[in-house]
Amino acid sequence: QVQLVQSGAEVKKPGASVRVSCTASGFIFATYLIPWVRQAPGQGLEWMGWVTTDNRSTNYAENFRGRVTMTTDLSTNTAFMELRSLRSDDTAIYYCARQWSLNNFDPWGQGTLVTVSS
Amino acid sequence: QSALTQPASVSGSPGQSITISCTGTSSDIGGYDSVSWYQHHPGKAPKLMIFDVTNRPSGVSNRFSGSKSGNTASLTISGLQAEDEANYYCSSYSTSVTVVFGGGTKVTVL
């Protein structure tokens, strides 16, 4: 069964960093991209970027450049997304997915709620 | 403000057909045959319903179909069912090797 399982909910203070993990199973991890997408409360989906599973390449959305780092660990089939200098408007559900072709995300992880609050 | 424009809501009665539009530019929808549609029930993971404009993944009902004309893509749901009530998002590959999403459309089954 192809699936992505994400780490649990996080509560962080403004200015802190958060690291979300995404562990894959049921497919050959090394042959896909792993994108990250977030959804703030009451808002739509926002693409954050992607990382190649060999860690050789990343592509971040302009809104997140300088604050986000996406990495993978082939030995554990796990992808990570670290977001720094958190603000209250970073409160959102963060999703990883398996990307194939230019723009096809399937399946998605279950989502990780990150709450930023003082 | 989302890069792709979708109507905020669309509704229909059971058995009817509805169409959701998704408007972009020549830098995204109009420039690539790479439009996807996702169904999202609150609290669950989004689900891919249409990829590469017109294709359905295995297991997705043939009541869902996609199309594109110029800078606008569309998702049609025929034979509307109660279980189709959800939020639907379009996305497109875009220049600069990025992906853009629409703002989402809430589908209500009356």
Side-chain angles (χ1 to χ4, degrees), chain A residues 37 39 43-47 50 59-61 65 95 99-106 108-110, chain B residues 32 34-36 38 40 44-48 50-52 89 91-93 96-99 101-103:
Chain A
V37 176
Q39 183 179 35
Q43 303 298 311
L45 301 175
E46 181 179 20
W47 179 78
W50 51 252
N59 184 29
Y60 302 138
R65 284 177 200 154
Y95 295 98
Q99 179 175 341
W100 45 279
S101 188
L102 294 177
N103 174 40
N104 303 317
F105 299 174
D106 177 56
W108 295 56
Q110 84 276 19
Chain B
Y32 306 92
S34 185
V35 176
S36 299
Y38 299 91
H40 191 201
K44 291 193 169 185
K47 177 184 177 183
L48 179 67
I50 296 288
F51 68 94
D52 295 347
Y89 294 89
S91 75
S92 175
Y93 181 78
S96 305
V97 199
T98 61
V99 172
F101 281 96

mmCIF file of all heavy atoms in Angstrom, chain A residues 37 39 43-47 50 59-61 65 95 99-106 108-110, chain B residues 32 34-36 38 40 44-48 50-52 89 91-93 96-99 101-103:
data_model
loop_
_atom_site.group_PDB
_atom_site.id
_atom_site.type_symbol
_atom_site.label_atom_id
_atom_site.label_comp_id
_atom_site.label_asym_id
_atom_site.label_seq_id
_atom_site.Cartn_x
_atom_site.Cartn_y
_atom_site.Cartn_z
ATOM 1 N N VAL A 37 3.002 21.157 0.776
ATOM 2 C CA VAL A 37 1.883 22.063 0.551
ATOM 3 C C VAL A 37 1.283 22.388 1.906
ATOM 4 O O VAL A 37 1.228 21.517 2.783
ATOM 5 C CB VAL A 37 0.813 21.402 -0.347
ATOM 6 C CG1 VAL A 37 -0.408 22.313 -0.515
ATOM 7 C CG2 VAL A 37 1.406 21.032 -1.704
ATOM 8 N N GLN A 39 -1.988 24.469 4.225
ATOM 9 C CA GLN A 39 -3.316 25.071 4.216
ATOM 10 C C GLN A 39 -3.536 25.790 5.527
ATOM 11 O O GLN A 39 -3.687 25.148 6.573
ATOM 12 C CB GLN A 39 -4.406 24.017 3.992
ATOM 13 C CG GLN A 39 -5.801 24.627 3.903
ATOM 14 C CD GLN A 39 -6.879 23.603 3.655
ATOM 15 O OE1 GLN A 39 -6.816 22.484 4.142
ATOM 16 N NE2 GLN A 39 -7.899 23.985 2.885
ATOM 17 N N GLN A 43 -8.222 28.904 4.523
ATOM 18 C CA GLN A 43 -7.581 29.281 3.267
ATOM 19 C C GLN A 43 -7.443 28.067 2.343
ATOM 20 O O GLN A 43 -7.758 26.932 2.719
ATOM 21 C CB GLN A 43 -6.187 29.862 3.533
ATOM 22 C CG GLN A 43 -6.188 31.064 4.456
ATOM 23 C CD GLN A 43 -6.963 32.229 3.888
ATOM 24 O OE1 GLN A 43 -6.775 32.623 2.730
ATOM 25 N NE2 GLN A 43 -7.875 32.791 4.676
ATOM 26 N N GLY A 44 -6.957 28.332 1.136
ATOM 27 C CA GLY A 44 -6.741 27.261 0.178
ATOM 28 C C GLY A 44 -5.372 26.625 0.315
ATOM 29 O O GLY A 44 -4.638 26.885 1.270
ATOM 30 N N LEU A 45 -5.036 25.788 -0.643
ATOM 31 C CA LEU A 45 -3.751 25.102 -0.644
ATOM 32 C C LEU A 45 -2.666 26.018 -1.194
ATOM 33 O O LEU A 45 -2.895 26.772 -2.145
ATOM 34 C CB LEU A 45 -3.837 23.837 -1.498
ATOM 35 C CG LEU A 45 -4.880 22.803 -1.065
ATOM 36 C CD1 LEU A 45 -4.933 21.655 -2.065
ATOM 37 C CD2 LEU A 45 -4.597 22.297 0.332
ATOM 38 N N GLU A 46 -1.489 25.933 -0.587
ATOM 39 C CA GLU A 46 -0.356 26.765 -1.007
ATOM 40 C C GLU A 46 0.862 25.881 -1.200
ATOM 41 O O GLU A 46 1.326 25.213 -0.275
ATOM 42 C CB GLU A 46 -0.062 27.835 0.044
ATOM 43 C CG GLU A 46 1.085 28.764 -0.335
ATOM 44 C CD GLU A 46 1.346 29.831 0.721
ATOM 45 O OE1 GLU A 46 0.924 29.654 1.886
ATOM 46 O OE2 GLU A 46 2.002 30.841 0.376
ATOM 47 N N TRP A 47 1.390 25.869 -2.421
ATOM 48 C CA TRP A 47 2.574 25.078 -2.734
ATOM 49 C C TRP A 47 3.791 25.736 -2.119
ATOM 50 O O TRP A 47 4.023 26.930 -2.280
ATOM 51 C CB TRP A 47 2.737 24.990 -4.245
ATOM 52 C CG TRP A 47 3.927 24.227 -4.721
ATOM 53 C CD1 TRP A 47 4.073 22.873 -4.774
ATOM 54 C CD2 TRP A 47 5.131 24.786 -5.255
ATOM 55 N NE1 TRP A 47 5.306 22.553 -5.296
ATOM 56 C CE2 TRP A 47 5.976 23.706 -5.599
ATOM 57 C CE3 TRP A 47 5.594 26.078 -5.471
ATOM 58 C CZ2 TRP A 47 7.242 23.891 -6.149
ATOM 59 C CZ3 TRP A 47 6.858 26.270 -6.024
ATOM 60 C CH2 TRP A 47 7.661 25.171 -6.348
ATOM 61 N N TRP A 50 9.549 21.686 -3.538
ATOM 62 C CA TRP A 50 9.790 20.244 -3.583
ATOM 63 C C TRP A 50 11.269 19.943 -3.402
ATOM 64 O O TRP A 50 12.125 20.836 -3.522
ATOM 65 C CB TRP A 50 9.283 19.613 -4.877
ATOM 66 C CG TRP A 50 9.690 20.231 -6.195
ATOM 67 C CD1 TRP A 50 8.887 20.939 -7.052
ATOM 68 C CD2 TRP A 50 10.977 20.188 -6.850
ATOM 69 N NE1 TRP A 50 9.589 21.340 -8.161
ATOM 70 C CE2 TRP A 50 10.872 20.895 -8.075
ATOM 71 C CE3 TRP A 50 12.213 19.626 -6.506
ATOM 72 C CZ2 TRP A 50 11.941 21.032 -8.960
ATOM 73 C CZ3 TRP A 50 13.285 19.774 -7.393
ATOM 74 C CH2 TRP A 50 13.140 20.469 -8.582
ATOM 75 N N ASN A 59 13.476 23.119 -4.947
ATOM 76 C CA ASN A 59 12.877 24.276 -5.598
ATOM 77 C C ASN A 59 11.824 24.817 -4.651
ATOM 78 O O ASN A 59 10.830 24.147 -4.375
ATOM 79 C CB ASN A 59 12.235 23.879 -6.933
ATOM 80 C CG ASN A 59 11.694 25.080 -7.687
ATOM 81 O OD1 ASN A 59 12.202 26.191 -7.556
ATOM 82 N ND2 ASN A 59 10.649 24.862 -8.471
ATOM 83 N N TYR A 60 12.067 26.011 -4.132
ATOM 84 C CA TYR A 60 11.180 26.585 -3.130
ATOM 85 C C TYR A 60 10.343 27.710 -3.736
ATOM 86 O O TYR A 60 10.822 28.496 -4.553
ATOM 87 C CB TYR A 60 11.988 27.138 -1.951
ATOM 88 C CG TYR A 60 12.873 26.118 -1.261
ATOM 89 C CD1 TYR A 60 14.159 26.455 -0.864
ATOM 90 C CD2 TYR A 60 12.415 24.826 -0.995
ATOM 91 C CE1 TYR A 60 14.975 25.536 -0.213
ATOM 92 C CE2 TYR A 60 13.217 23.896 -0.360
ATOM 93 C CZ TYR A 60 14.500 24.260 0.023
ATOM 94 O OH TYR A 60 15.303 23.339 0.655
ATOM 95 N N ALA A 61 9.108 27.792 -3.289
ATOM 96 C CA ALA A 61 8.274 28.922 -3.682
ATOM 97 C C ALA A 61 8.887 30.211 -3.155
ATOM 98 O O ALA A 61 9.498 30.236 -2.075
ATOM 99 C CB ALA A 61 6.862 28.747 -3.132
ATOM 100 N N ARG A 65 11.443 31.199 0.365
ATOM 101 C CA ARG A 65 12.902 31.136 0.199
ATOM 102 C C ARG A 65 13.587 31.871 1.323
ATOM 103 O O ARG A 65 13.236 32.979 1.693
ATOM 104 C CB ARG A 65 13.309 31.733 -1.154
ATOM 105 C CG ARG A 65 13.009 30.797 -2.290
ATOM 106 C CD ARG A 65 13.331 31.383 -3.648
ATOM 107 N NE ARG A 65 12.612 30.654 -4.688
ATOM 108 C CZ ARG A 65 12.266 31.145 -5.858
ATOM 109 N NH1 ARG A 65 12.581 32.402 -6.158
ATOM 110 N NH2 ARG A 65 11.623 30.410 -6.735
ATOM 111 N N TYR A 95 1.262 19.492 4.502
ATOM 112 C CA TYR A 95 1.158 18.194 3.837
ATOM 113 C C TYR A 95 2.397 17.906 3.000
ATOM 114 O O TYR A 95 2.926 18.804 2.345
ATOM 115 C CB TYR A 95 -0.029 18.178 2.868
ATOM 116 C CG TYR A 95 -1.399 18.299 3.474
ATOM 117 C CD1 TYR A 95 -2.061 19.525 3.511
ATOM 118 C CD2 TYR A 95 -2.064 17.175 3.977
ATOM 119 C CE1 TYR A 95 -3.341 19.630 4.038
ATOM 120 C CE2 TYR A 95 -3.345 17.277 4.501
ATOM 121 C CZ TYR A 95 -3.976 18.510 4.530
ATOM 122 O OH TYR A 95 -5.247 18.613 5.051
ATOM 123 N N GLN A 99 5.164 13.221 -5.731
ATOM 124 C CA GLN A 99 4.932 13.924 -6.981
ATOM 125 C C GLN A 99 5.448 13.103 -8.163
ATOM 126 O O GLN A 99 6.582 12.633 -8.153
ATOM 127 C CB GLN A 99 5.631 15.287 -6.989
ATOM 128 C CG GLN A 99 5.435 16.059 -8.287
ATOM 129 C CD GLN A 99 6.032 17.452 -8.245
ATOM 130 O OE1 GLN A 99 6.282 18.003 -7.167
ATOM 131 N NE2 GLN A 99 6.249 18.045 -9.397
ATOM 132 N N TRP A 100 4.602 12.969 -9.157
ATOM 133 C CA TRP A 100 5.050 12.349 -10.404
ATOM 134 C C TRP A 100 4.613 13.225 -11.570
ATOM 135 O O TRP A 100 3.667 13.984 -11.455
ATOM 136 C CB TRP A 100 4.522 10.920 -10.545
ATOM 137 C CG TRP A 100 3.092 10.729 -10.207
ATOM 138 C CD1 TRP A 100 2.552 10.580 -8.963
ATOM 139 C CD2 TRP A 100 1.982 10.683 -11.114
ATOM 140 N NE1 TRP A 100 1.191 10.432 -9.036
ATOM 141 C CE2 TRP A 100 0.815 10.483 -10.352
ATOM 142 C CE3 TRP A 100 1.870 10.774 -12.502
ATOM 143 C CZ2 TRP A 100 -0.447 10.379 -10.935
ATOM 144 C CZ3 TRP A 100 0.613 10.663 -13.077
ATOM 145 C CH2 TRP A 100 -0.523 10.477 -12.289
ATOM 146 N N SER A 101 5.346 13.194 -12.633
ATOM 147 C CA SER A 101 5.179 14.106 -13.755
ATOM 148 C C SER A 101 5.372 15.534 -13.239
ATOM 149 O O SER A 101 5.960 15.758 -12.184
ATOM 150 C CB SER A 101 3.809 13.905 -14.409
ATOM 151 O OG SER A 101 3.731 14.656 -15.611
ATOM 152 N N LEU A 102 4.868 16.521 -13.952
ATOM 153 C CA LEU A 102 5.153 17.912 -13.591
ATOM 154 C C LEU A 102 4.372 18.394 -12.383
ATOM 155 O O LEU A 102 4.808 19.284 -11.652
ATOM 156 C CB LEU A 102 4.836 18.814 -14.786
ATOM 157 C CG LEU A 102 5.706 18.640 -16.037
ATOM 158 C CD1 LEU A 102 5.203 19.565 -17.140
ATOM 159 C CD2 LEU A 102 7.168 18.928 -15.722
ATOM 160 N N ASN A 103 3.179 17.826 -12.163
ATOM 161 C CA ASN A 103 2.247 18.509 -11.279
ATOM 162 C C ASN A 103 1.255 17.567 -10.627
ATOM 163 O O ASN A 103 0.198 17.975 -10.216
ATOM 164 C CB ASN A 103 1.479 19.543 -12.147
ATOM 165 C CG ASN A 103 0.382 20.233 -11.420
ATOM 166 O OD1 ASN A 103 0.514 20.585 -10.263
ATOM 167 N ND2 ASN A 103 -0.760 20.413 -12.076
ATOM 168 N N ASN A 104 1.581 16.293 -10.498
ATOM 169 C CA ASN A 104 0.611 15.332 -9.995
ATOM 170 C C ASN A 104 1.024 14.847 -8.621
ATOM 171 O O ASN A 104 2.080 14.213 -8.467
ATOM 172 C CB ASN A 104 0.483 14.160 -10.975
ATOM 173 C CG ASN A 104 0.087 14.635 -12.361
ATOM 174 O OD1 ASN A 104 -0.779 15.499 -12.496
ATOM 175 N ND2 ASN A 104 0.725 14.109 -13.381
ATOM 176 N N PHE A 105 0.239 15.155 -7.611
ATOM 177 C CA PHE A 105 0.542 14.828 -6.234
ATOM 178 C C PHE A 105 -0.381 13.689 -5.778
ATOM 179 O O PHE A 105 -1.574 13.877 -5.600
ATOM 180 C CB PHE A 105 0.311 16.048 -5.326
ATOM 181 C CG PHE A 105 1.165 17.241 -5.647
ATOM 182 C CD1 PHE A 105 0.957 18.442 -4.987
ATOM 183 C CD2 PHE A 105 2.166 17.187 -6.600
ATOM 184 C CE1 PHE A 105 1.748 19.559 -5.259
ATOM 185 C CE2 PHE A 105 2.958 18.298 -6.889
ATOM 186 C CZ PHE A 105 2.742 19.479 -6.206
ATOM 187 N N ASP A 106 0.189 12.507 -5.580
ATOM 188 C CA ASP A 106 -0.615 11.353 -5.206
ATOM 189 C C ASP A 106 0.268 10.225 -4.721
ATOM 190 O O ASP A 106 1.186 9.817 -5.440
ATOM 191 C CB ASP A 106 -1.412 10.861 -6.434
ATOM 192 C CG ASP A 106 -2.216 9.618 -6.148
ATOM 193 O OD1 ASP A 106 -3.043 9.658 -5.199
ATOM 194 O OD2 ASP A 106 -2.021 8.612 -6.846
ATOM 195 N N TRP A 108 -1.139 11.798 -0.745
ATOM 196 C CA TRP A 108 -0.728 12.838 0.189
ATOM 197 C C TRP A 108 -0.578 12.215 1.579
ATOM 198 O O TRP A 108 -1.234 11.226 1.904
ATOM 199 C CB TRP A 108 -1.779 13.945 0.273
ATOM 200 C CG TRP A 108 -1.973 14.737 -0.993
ATOM 201 C CD1 TRP A 108 -2.282 14.241 -2.238
ATOM 202 C CD2 TRP A 108 -1.923 16.154 -1.126
ATOM 203 N NE1 TRP A 108 -2.413 15.272 -3.137
ATOM 204 C CE2 TRP A 108 -2.207 16.462 -2.485
ATOM 205 C CE3 TRP A 108 -1.677 17.216 -0.255
ATOM 206 C CZ2 TRP A 108 -2.237 17.765 -2.976
ATOM 207 C CZ3 TRP A 108 -1.709 18.512 -0.743
ATOM 208 C CH2 TRP A 108 -1.981 18.783 -2.089
ATOM 209 N N GLY A 109 0.261 12.847 2.386
ATOM 210 C CA GLY A 109 0.301 12.474 3.786
ATOM 211 C C GLY A 109 -0.959 12.955 4.494
ATOM 212 O O GLY A 109 -1.764 13.699 3.920
ATOM 213 N N GLN A 110 -1.113 12.542 5.745
ATOM 214 C CA GLN A 110 -2.342 12.871 6.474
ATOM 215 C C GLN A 110 -2.369 14.314 6.977
ATOM 216 O O GLN A 110 -3.397 14.790 7.437
ATOM 217 C CB GLN A 110 -2.542 11.896 7.656
ATOM 218 C CG GLN A 110 -1.805 12.254 8.932
ATOM 219 C CD GLN A 110 -0.361 11.782 8.963
ATOM 220 O OE1 GLN A 110 0.234 11.491 7.932
ATOM 221 N NE2 GLN A 110 0.182 11.702 10.167
ATOM 222 N N TYR B 32 0.770 24.731 -20.574
ATOM 223 C CA TYR B 32 1.132 23.334 -20.305
ATOM 224 C C TYR B 32 -0.127 22.484 -20.187
ATOM 225 O O TYR B 32 -1.137 22.931 -19.660
ATOM 226 C CB TYR B 32 1.922 23.222 -18.990
ATOM 227 C CG TYR B 32 3.136 24.112 -18.918
ATOM 228 C CD1 TYR B 32 3.042 25.390 -18.371
ATOM 229 C CD2 TYR B 32 4.368 23.681 -19.394
ATOM 230 C CE1 TYR B 32 4.149 26.217 -18.307
ATOM 231 C CE2 TYR B 32 5.486 24.507 -19.325
ATOM 232 C CZ TYR B 32 5.366 25.773 -18.789
ATOM 233 O OH TYR B 32 6.468 26.591 -18.730
ATOM 234 N N SER B 34 -0.800 20.323 -18.051
ATOM 235 C CA SER B 34 -0.467 19.771 -16.742
ATOM 236 C C SER B 34 -1.369 20.376 -15.679
ATOM 237 O O SER B 34 -0.895 21.059 -14.775
ATOM 238 C CB SER B 34 1.002 20.031 -16.416
ATOM 239 O OG SER B 34 1.362 19.407 -15.206
ATOM 240 N N VAL B 35 -2.655 20.149 -15.814
ATOM 241 C CA VAL B 35 -3.637 20.614 -14.835
ATOM 242 C C VAL B 35 -4.135 19.414 -14.046
ATOM 243 O O VAL B 35 -4.468 18.373 -14.612
ATOM 244 C CB VAL B 35 -4.830 21.303 -15.523
ATOM 245 C CG1 VAL B 35 -5.884 21.700 -14.477
ATOM 246 C CG2 VAL B 35 -4.360 22.524 -16.309
ATOM 247 N N SER B 36 -4.161 19.579 -12.726
ATOM 248 C CA SER B 36 -4.672 18.528 -11.845
ATOM 249 C C SER B 36 -5.840 19.073 -11.041
ATOM 250 O O SER B 36 -5.952 20.288 -10.826
ATOM 251 C CB SER B 36 -3.578 18.059 -10.881
ATOM 252 O OG SER B 36 -2.487 17.515 -11.579
ATOM 253 N N TYR B 38 -8.017 18.228 -7.313
ATOM 254 C CA TYR B 38 -7.983 17.503 -6.051
ATOM 255 C C TYR B 38 -9.310 17.689 -5.330
ATOM 256 O O TYR B 38 -9.866 18.785 -5.293
ATOM 257 C CB TYR B 38 -6.848 17.992 -5.163
ATOM 258 C CG TYR B 38 -5.486 17.796 -5.803
ATOM 259 C CD1 TYR B 38 -4.923 18.796 -6.587
ATOM 260 C CD2 TYR B 38 -4.795 16.603 -5.648
ATOM 261 C CE1 TYR B 38 -3.694 18.602 -7.203
ATOM 262 C CE2 TYR B 38 -3.567 16.406 -6.252
ATOM 263 C CZ TYR B 38 -3.028 17.407 -7.037
ATOM 264 O OH TYR B 38 -1.816 17.221 -7.653
ATOM 265 N N HIS B 40 -10.974 17.535 -1.600
ATOM 266 C CA HIS B 40 -10.501 17.653 -0.230
ATOM 267 C C HIS B 40 -11.670 17.720 0.732
ATOM 268 O O HIS B 40 -12.404 18.712 0.777
ATOM 269 C CB HIS B 40 -9.622 18.898 -0.069
ATOM 270 C CG HIS B 40 -8.890 18.948 1.231
ATOM 271 N ND1 HIS B 40 -8.394 20.115 1.762
ATOM 272 C CD2 HIS B 40 -8.553 17.968 2.108
ATOM 273 C CE1 HIS B 40 -7.791 19.849 2.908
ATOM 274 N NE2 HIS B 40 -7.880 18.555 3.135
ATOM 275 N N LYS B 44 -9.205 15.497 6.120
ATOM 276 C CA LYS B 44 -8.598 14.365 5.410
ATOM 277 C C LYS B 44 -7.532 14.875 4.447
ATOM 278 O O LYS B 44 -7.404 16.073 4.195
ATOM 279 C CB LYS B 44 -9.665 13.598 4.635
ATOM 280 C CG LYS B 44 -10.660 12.852 5.508
ATOM 281 C CD LYS B 44 -11.471 11.876 4.664
ATOM 282 C CE LYS B 44 -12.289 10.937 5.539
ATOM 283 N NZ LYS B 44 -12.992 9.910 4.725
ATOM 284 N N ALA B 45 -6.767 13.945 3.906
ATOM 285 C CA ALA B 45 -5.763 14.315 2.912
ATOM 286 C C ALA B 45 -6.436 14.584 1.571
ATOM 287 O O ALA B 45 -7.415 13.912 1.211
ATOM 288 C CB ALA B 45 -4.741 13.196 2.756
ATOM 289 N N PRO B 46 -5.955 15.577 0.830
ATOM 290 C CA PRO B 46 -6.485 15.779 -0.521
ATOM 291 C C PRO B 46 -6.308 14.528 -1.367
ATOM 292 O O PRO B 46 -5.384 13.739 -1.162
ATOM 293 C CB PRO B 46 -5.637 16.939 -1.053
ATOM 294 C CG PRO B 46 -5.194 17.675 0.178
ATOM 295 C CD PRO B 46 -4.954 16.593 1.201
ATOM 296 N N LYS B 47 -7.203 14.372 -2.341
ATOM 297 C CA LYS B 47 -7.178 13.203 -3.218
ATOM 298 C C LYS B 47 -7.127 13.652 -4.678
ATOM 299 O O LYS B 47 -7.927 14.496 -5.088
ATOM 300 C CB LYS B 47 -8.434 12.354 -2.987
ATOM 301 C CG LYS B 47 -8.552 11.129 -3.903
ATOM 302 C CD LYS B 47 -9.867 10.409 -3.669
ATOM 303 C CE LYS B 47 -10.035 9.224 -4.631
ATOM 304 N NZ LYS B 47 -11.335 8.561 -4.470
ATOM 305 N N LEU B 48 -6.200 13.089 -5.421
ATOM 306 C CA LEU B 48 -6.081 13.409 -6.845
ATOM 307 C C LEU B 48 -7.263 12.804 -7.601
ATOM 308 O O LEU B 48 -7.493 11.600 -7.536
ATOM 309 C CB LEU B 48 -4.757 12.855 -7.382
ATOM 310 C CG LEU B 48 -4.468 13.077 -8.866
ATOM 311 C CD1 LEU B 48 -4.256 14.561 -9.160
ATOM 312 C CD2 LEU B 48 -3.230 12.268 -9.293
ATOM 313 N N ILE B 50 -8.143 14.205 -11.083
ATOM 314 C CA ILE B 50 -7.828 14.351 -12.508
ATOM 315 C C ILE B 50 -6.373 14.789 -12.626
ATOM 316 O O ILE B 50 -5.924 15.646 -11.854
ATOM 317 C CB ILE B 50 -8.722 15.416 -13.181
ATOM 318 C CG1 ILE B 50 -10.188 15.000 -13.164
ATOM 319 C CG2 ILE B 50 -8.242 15.717 -14.611
ATOM 320 C CD1 ILE B 50 -10.545 13.862 -14.112
ATOM 321 N N PHE B 51 -5.639 14.189 -13.548
ATOM 322 C CA PHE B 51 -4.281 14.641 -13.806
ATOM 323 C C PHE B 51 -4.070 14.878 -15.298
ATOM 324 O O PHE B 51 -4.778 14.293 -16.131
ATOM 325 C CB PHE B 51 -3.249 13.667 -13.240
ATOM 326 C CG PHE B 51 -3.208 12.317 -13.937
ATOM 327 C CD1 PHE B 51 -2.327 12.070 -14.971
ATOM 328 C CD2 PHE B 51 -4.044 11.284 -13.516
ATOM 329 C CE1 PHE B 51 -2.282 10.830 -15.589
ATOM 330 C CE2 PHE B 51 -4.014 10.043 -14.131
ATOM 331 C CZ PHE B 51 -3.126 9.810 -15.167
ATOM 332 N N ASP B 52 -3.100 15.713 -15.605
ATOM 333 C CA ASP B 52 -2.778 16.050 -16.998
ATOM 334 C C ASP B 52 -4.040 16.395 -17.794
ATOM 335 O O ASP B 52 -4.281 15.863 -18.887
ATOM 336 C CB ASP B 52 -2.014 14.899 -17.655
ATOM 337 C CG ASP B 52 -0.644 14.671 -17.016
ATOM 338 O OD1 ASP B 52 -0.197 15.560 -16.253
ATOM 339 O OD2 ASP B 52 -0.038 13.624 -17.270
ATOM 340 N N TYR B 89 -9.853 21.657 -5.593
ATOM 341 C CA TYR B 89 -8.778 22.570 -5.954
ATOM 342 C C TYR B 89 -8.190 22.177 -7.299
ATOM 343 O O TYR B 89 -7.931 20.991 -7.546
ATOM 344 C CB TYR B 89 -7.661 22.529 -4.912
ATOM 345 C CG TYR B 89 -8.058 23.062 -3.555
ATOM 346 C CD1 TYR B 89 -8.606 22.234 -2.586
ATOM 347 C CD2 TYR B 89 -7.876 24.412 -3.238
ATOM 348 C CE1 TYR B 89 -8.979 22.722 -1.350
ATOM 349 C CE2 TYR B 89 -8.241 24.909 -2.004
ATOM 350 C CZ TYR B 89 -8.784 24.056 -1.066
ATOM 351 O OH TYR B 89 -9.148 24.545 0.165
ATOM 352 N N SER B 91 -4.862 22.742 -9.864
ATOM 353 C CA SER B 91 -3.463 23.163 -9.815
ATOM 354 C C SER B 91 -2.867 23.027 -11.205
ATOM 355 O O SER B 91 -3.361 22.272 -12.040
ATOM 356 C CB SER B 91 -2.650 22.360 -8.805
ATOM 357 O OG SER B 91 -2.385 21.064 -9.301
ATOM 358 N N SER B 92 -1.822 23.773 -11.440
ATOM 359 C CA SER B 92 -1.156 23.743 -12.737
ATOM 360 C C SER B 92 0.339 23.896 -12.567
ATOM 361 O O SER B 92 0.811 24.605 -11.667
ATOM 362 C CB SER B 92 -1.679 24.862 -13.641
ATOM 363 O OG SER B 92 -0.963 24.909 -14.868
ATOM 364 N N TYR B 93 1.064 23.253 -13.433
ATOM 365 C CA TYR B 93 2.494 23.532 -13.548
ATOM 366 C C TYR B 93 2.630 24.947 -14.102
ATOM 367 O O TYR B 93 1.780 25.423 -14.875
ATOM 368 C CB TYR B 93 3.141 22.537 -14.490
ATOM 369 C CG TYR B 93 4.634 22.716 -14.659
ATOM 370 C CD1 TYR B 93 5.512 22.263 -13.681
ATOM 371 C CD2 TYR B 93 5.155 23.340 -15.786
ATOM 372 C CE1 TYR B 93 6.884 22.416 -13.832
ATOM 373 C CE2 TYR B 93 6.512 23.493 -15.943
ATOM 374 C CZ TYR B 93 7.382 23.026 -14.969
ATOM 375 O OH TYR B 93 8.729 23.199 -15.122
ATOM 376 N N SER B 96 9.027 28.778 -14.420
ATOM 377 C CA SER B 96 9.944 28.820 -13.269
ATOM 378 C C SER B 96 9.863 27.541 -12.447
ATOM 379 O O SER B 96 10.233 27.532 -11.280
ATOM 380 C CB SER B 96 9.663 30.024 -12.353
ATOM 381 O OG SER B 96 9.705 31.216 -13.065
ATOM 382 N N VAL B 97 9.358 26.475 -13.070
ATOM 383 C CA VAL B 97 9.326 25.146 -12.432
ATOM 384 C C VAL B 97 8.607 25.204 -11.090
ATOM 385 O O VAL B 97 9.092 24.728 -10.071
ATOM 386 C CB VAL B 97 10.746 24.567 -12.246
ATOM 387 C CG1 VAL B 97 10.669 23.060 -12.035
ATOM 388 C CG2 VAL B 97 11.632 24.886 -13.428
ATOM 389 N N THR B 98 7.450 25.829 -11.088
ATOM 390 C CA THR B 98 6.650 25.896 -9.873
ATOM 391 C C THR B 98 5.274 25.314 -10.115
ATOM 392 O O THR B 98 4.918 24.966 -11.240
ATOM 393 C CB THR B 98 6.501 27.355 -9.405
ATOM 394 O OG1 THR B 98 5.834 28.097 -10.439
ATOM 395 C CG2 THR B 98 7.849 27.995 -9.116
ATOM 396 N N VAL B 99 4.533 25.209 -9.037
ATOM 397 C CA VAL B 99 3.160 24.714 -9.096
ATOM 398 C C VAL B 99 2.269 25.768 -8.462
ATOM 399 O O VAL B 99 2.613 26.343 -7.424
ATOM 400 C CB VAL B 99 3.027 23.381 -8.340
ATOM 401 C CG1 VAL B 99 1.560 22.964 -8.219
ATOM 402 C CG2 VAL B 99 3.841 22.294 -9.035
ATOM 403 N N PHE B 101 -1.826 26.720 -7.246
ATOM 404 C CA PHE B 101 -3.142 26.192 -6.909
ATOM 405 C C PHE B 101 -4.211 27.271 -7.093
ATOM 406 O O PHE B 101 -3.928 28.466 -7.046
ATOM 407 C CB PHE B 101 -3.183 25.734 -5.442
ATOM 408 C CG PHE B 101 -2.548 24.409 -5.200
ATOM 409 C CD1 PHE B 101 -1.233 24.338 -4.761
ATOM 410 C CD2 PHE B 101 -3.249 23.231 -5.370
ATOM 411 C CE1 PHE B 101 -0.625 23.117 -4.519
ATOM 412 C CE2 PHE B 101 -2.660 22.000 -5.127
ATOM 413 C CZ PHE B 101 -1.335 21.945 -4.698
ATOM 414 N N GLY B 102 -5.426 26.812 -7.275
ATOM 415 C CA GLY B 102 -6.566 27.705 -7.220
ATOM 416 C C GLY B 102 -6.996 27.904 -5.780
ATOM 417 O O GLY B 102 -6.509 27.223 -4.872
ATOM 418 N N GLY B 103 -7.915 28.844 -5.567
ATOM 419 C CA GLY B 103 -8.358 29.151 -4.218
ATOM 420 C C GLY B 103 -9.327 28.144 -3.634
ATOM 421 O O GLY B 103 -9.632 28.192 -2.440
#
